[in-house]
Amino acid sequence: MGGINWKELELLLSEMPLVGSYIQRVTEHDVHSFTLHFFSKEEKAWMMYTEISSSHSRVCRTEKIRKKSSSSQRFTQYLKAHIIGRRVVEVRQYPFDRAFSLTLENSENRINMIFRLYSGPGANVIITKEDGTILELLFRRPQRGERQGEKLIEDVRTEEGKKKWEVRPYEGQSFNAYLDRYEESESRDEKREELISILTLRRDKEISALEERLRKQNERI
């Protein structure tokens, strides 16, 4: 499916109890993905999985405990130092877009955490001050002016465009649960196919090498 569309993002966000939830923990999985662990008075502990700049880019509520990365990249270290303990006070999806922001508050100030679920170089997670000054980014993209200290340039859409998007048909109690299962299954299938291709190539090389050795042995005989 190549990620989610803006209508699906709208539904995903509407199903999550973001406003009023506190960020308790951050778990990094790899350079493209991490999980935010929240706590809300109504639903207690819950998790939001984020995957950026991949064929399965998405955010969704998850029940799955994913493997923790053996190392911690710069962005994750920043999150652990600056967003844990903050409360979500506002969720804002950009009009007709696969992007949204969380306004995070503590006793000192408010910051924005902007999620861009795009394909290509626009994909990113960006932390800014209230005035739009960039504090940290998942991916630093200086050619786009996306680096620390710069003002974030936001291109806000005013209409959907020619293609009219809809939420894909799904089964289950929530679109979050469906998407989490579906994309995880698709990702596993892709990895399986990739592994089969690698092993097939390795096998063919080894067979070719053995055939060459056999040819040389026959020549010697």
Side-chain angles (χ1 to χ4, degrees), residues 164-211:
K164 304 303 178 184
W165 296 96
E166 297 295 339
V167 176
R168 74 190 81 168
Y170 69 96
E171 297 177 351
Q173 292 186 336
S174 74
F175 187 58
N176 276 270
Y178 162 79
L179 187 72
D180 199 27
R181 290 194 307 270
Y182 175 84
E183 294 289 357
E184 197 69 19
S185 175
E186 289 287 298
S187 180
R188 281 198 303 269
D189 289 345
E190 284 183 9
K191 289 175 182 176
R192 187 181 301 113
E193 290 297 321
E194 184 180 357
L195 181 58
I196 289 171
S197 296
I198 292 170
L199 292 175
T200 300
L201 182 61
R202 186 181 300 171
R203 180 204 62 191
D204 292 346
K205 284 184 177 180
E206 290 178 357
I207 289 173
S208 179
L210 288 170
E211 288 175 342

Side-chain angles (χ1 to χ4, degrees), residues 127-178:
I127 309 294
T128 73
K129 294 181 180 179
E130 284 191 277
D131 66 2
T133 303
I134 297 173
L135 296 169
E136 192 54 277
L137 313 90
L138 177 59
F139 303 117
R140 292 181 180 179
R141 306 192 194 277
Q143 70 278 9
R144 293 173 56 90
E146 294 178 4
R147 55 188 171 188
Q148 286 176 303
E150 297 285 346
K151 280 289 185 70
L152 180 64
I153 299 173
E154 296 183 328
D155 184 16
V156 180
R157 297 181 180 183
T158 56
E159 58 183 7
E160 184 175 16
K162 292 182 179 180
K163 184 165 184 178
K164 304 303 178 184
W165 296 96
E166 297 295 339
V167 176
R168 74 190 81 168
Y170 69 96
E171 297 177 351
Q173 292 186 336
S174 74
F175 187 58
N176 276 270
Y178 162 79

Side-chain angles (χ1 to χ4, degrees), residues 5 8 11 15 19 28 34 41 44 60 69 87 124 133 135 138 150 156 158 189 191 204-205 219:
N5 64 53
E8 292 176 337
L11 179 55
E15 291 179 348
V19 174
E28 177 184 336
F34 59 89
K41 290 181 180 178
K44 308 307 178 186
C60 62
S69 174
R87 182 170 65 95
N124 219 335
T133 303
L135 296 169
L138 177 59
E150 297 285 346
V156 180
T158 56
D189 289 345
K191 289 175 182 176
D204 292 346
K205 284 184 177 180
E219 284 182 355

